Amino acid sequence: MKIKVLGSAAVGGFPQWNCGCPNCRGVRGGELKARARTQESIAVSADGDNWFVLNASPEIRTQIEGFAGLHPRGPRDSPIAGILITNGDLDHCLGLLSLRESHPLQIYATEQVHRGFTESNTFYATLERFPGQTTWRTLQLGKEQELKYLDGRTSGLDVQALAVPGQPPLHLRGRFAPDPEDNVAFRIRDRATGRAMIYMSGVAAVTPAVLAAIEGTQCVFFDGTFWAADELIALGLGNKRAEDMAHLPIGGADGSLALLENIKVPRRYYIHINNTNPILREDAAEHAAVEAAGWRVAYDGLEFEL
Ligand SMILES: [Zn+2]
C-alpha cells in the first residue's frame, strides 16, 4: 500500500490566517525550524495509479496540484477513485464542494456522516447536478468492506470503519443526536500484502476499542492536535480545553504518548496537528519526546510504501 500525506495540520492549517501565536508568527517569518502545513488529509493506493483520499480538506485543490499522483491522465480525468470521510467536521468535508467540476465522485462514509453533510445543505446541490455525479457508499461500523472503483472493479484495498470517541461537528449540534457513527477511524488493509494501516485523526480517549483497532496494524496515524490540554488557554487564544473539543492531548501522564507506549506498530505518526502545538518546532523538547518514543510528526508530502 502506498501512502501519501497531503495535509497534516488541524483546523486552520499552519500558519492559520488569523493567528499570531508564536508558532504561526514564527513560521510566517521563517524564524522557526518548522514546516508550514495544510489541513489534514492523506491518500492511499494499492497500485500507485488509483488513489483513495481520506478526508476532503478545504485545501484539496492545492493538495491535488502538489502531488503528481493525483493529476489528470486525460482531458477530463482524476486518479482519485474515492474519498473517505472520518467525520462531519468542516476541515474534513468542505473540500468535497471544491470538486464540483462535473466529475463523478465516490464518497465512503457512515450513514450519519452522509446525512450530516447532505441534509438541509443547499450547497450540496452542486454535487447532484446530474445523475451519477455523486455516489455514496455506506460504511457500516466494524464491517470490513471492499474499496471499489466506480466501475465496480476491486481496488485491492479493504476498509473497516471503527467508532472512536469523539463528538458531532459543531454546526450539527442540536440537529442530530450524538451517534457512534459521528466519528470513525479507518483500518485499511492491502489484500495482496495483508498489511494494514489505521487512520485515527480525531480521538478523544484511548479506550480498549481504540487499542484493539490499532492492534495488528503496521502503521498508525493518530490525533496530534494538542500537546497539552490547556494549550489554547495558556496562549490566550481561547477558553476551551482539548477535551472540550474531543481531542486527547499528546503529552502528560494521561496523554496519548503515555497511553500508547506499549503498542507494537512499527510506523507511528501524529497528524491533525494544531498550529499551537510545540511538536511543530523541530528543535522543541516536545518534538524530541515524540521521536524518542518512536513516533514521528507527519508533514505534508511525506510518502512511503507499507
Ligand atoms: Zn497559531
Side-chain angles (χ1 to χ4, degrees), residues 14-16 19-25 237 274-276:
F14 178 49
Q16 176 178 315
C19 191
C21 79
N23 273 2
C24 287
R25 275 204 319 273
L237 298 174
N274 197 58
N275 54 71
T276 51

Side-chain angles (χ1 to χ4, degrees), residues 32 48 147 217 254 267:
L32 279 191
L147 286 177
T217 63
D254 301 323
R267 285 183 174 271

Side-chain angles (χ1 to χ4, degrees), residues 189-218:
R189 190 171 64 91
D190 186 312
R191 288 186 167 191
T193 65
R195 296 171 76 81
M197 182 272 287
I198 182 93
Y199 193 73
M200 330 181 100
S201 63
V203 184
V206 170
T207 60
V210 166
L211 290 171
I214 295 171
E215 177 79 33
T217 63
Q218 286 73 47

Side-chain angles (χ1 to χ4, degrees), residues 52-304:
F52 289 86
V53 172
L54 277 53
N55 286 333
S57 101
E59 294 164 284
I60 194 165
R61 195 196 74 87
T62 312
Q63 293 171 339
I64 291 169
E65 289 306 315
F67 176 39
L70 298 183
H71 293 172
R73 300 151 297 191
R76 273 284 188 275
D77 175 69
S78 172
I80 297 176
I83 298 168
L84 289 75
I85 306 290
T86 56
N87 65 30
D89 290 346
L90 289 178
D91 58 324
H92 296 154
C93 295
L94 265 185
L96 295 173
L97 296 173
S98 298
L99 303 179
R100 64 188 177 280
E101 282 80 17
S102 303
H103 194 90
L105 299 177
Q106 179 172 232
I107 307 171
Y108 286 85
T110 64
E111 184 56 24
Q112 184 80 356
V113 170
H114 172 204
R115 286 180 57 212
F117 184 73
T118 56
E119 281 185 16
S120 307
N121 175 6
T122 52
F123 290 154
Y124 176 62
T126 195
L127 296 180
E128 287 207 319
R129 299 196 311 274
F130 57 89
Q133 185 179 3
T134 303
T135 302
W136 290 87
R137 305 284 187 205
T138 305
L139 292 170
Q140 290 169 22
L141 292 182
K143 185 183 167 199
E144 191 169 59
Q145 294 170 242
E146 193 177 7
L147 286 177
K148 292 184 176 183
Y149 302 144
L150 253 182
D151 62 11
R153 284 179 303 137
T154 181
S155 69
L157 299 174
D158 287 329
V159 65
Q160 210 180 1
L162 298 158
V164 287
Q167 59 188 14
L170 273 175
H171 61 279
L172 295 181
R173 302 272 163 85
R175 281 192 46 215
F176 289 87
D179 190 286
E181 287 195 354
D182 281 329
N183 185 52
V184 299
F186 292 129
R187 186 168 162 136
I188 297 180
R189 190 171 64 91
D190 186 312
R191 288 186 167 191
T193 65
R195 296 171 76 81
M197 182 272 287
I198 182 93
Y199 193 73
M200 330 181 100
S201 63
V203 184
V206 170
T207 60
V210 166
L211 290 171
I214 295 171
E215 177 79 33
T217 63
Q218 286 73 47
C219 173
V220 57
F221 284 92
F222 200 84
D223 184 335
T225 312
F226 298 112
W227 174 263
D230 65 350
E231 200 166 296
L232 296 182
I233 299 166
L235 287 164
L237 298 174
N239 54 14
K240 283 190 173 173
R241 296 176 58 81
E243 55 266 33
D244 299 330
M245 290 170 278
H247 292 295
L248 178 70
I250 299 170
D254 301 323
S256 59
L257 207 55
L259 296 177
L260 298 176
E261 82 178 331
N262 292 323
I263 63 170
K264 294 174 187 65
V265 182
R267 285 183 174 271
R268 286 168 265 170
Y269 296 97
Y270 279 112
I271 198 165
H272 193 273
I273 305 154
N274 197 58
N275 54 71
T276 51
N277 194 324
I279 67 170
L280 289 168
R281 301 193 299 270
E282 290 163 24
D283 51 4
E286 294 86 349
H287 185 96
V290 162
E291 295 212 325
W295 288 74
R296 294 292 176 263
V297 181
Y299 55 89
D300 297 18
L302 168 70
E303 65 180 304
F304 57 93

